[in-house]
Amino acid sequence: MALKAPGILTYMVSVILTVLALVTYFFGASIPLITGQEFWVLVIAQAILIFGCVMRGL
């Protein structure tokens, strides 16, 4: 199993989810579907990034 760089879309989705979760947690922003679920949003963002590095076509 060889790792590769993720696609730009996969990378950007991961970065956007990570930034939204961190802004919600540290600055108290109220973002629907993220407020109160910051940990799980970060887990999903990192899982997307990992799948982008492992699987072809993402």
Side-chain angles (χ1 to χ4, degrees):
M1 174 175 68
L3 296 177
K4 64 176 190 64
I8 189 71
L9 182 62
T10 304
Y11 180 75
M12 289 309 297
V13 167
S14 176
V15 167
I16 289 169
L17 285 175
T18 300
V19 168
L20 288 176
L22 292 175
V23 166
T24 301
Y25 184 76
F26 287 114
F27 298 110
S30 179
I31 301 173
L33 301 176
I34 296 178
T35 303
Q37 306 294 328
E38 293 89 357
F39 174 77
W40 292 112
V41 172
L42 283 173
V43 168
I44 291 169
Q46 296 307 307
I48 290 170
L49 189 58
I50 290 169
F51 286 134
C53 290
V54 173
M55 297 174 62
R56 292 219 173 262
L58 285 181

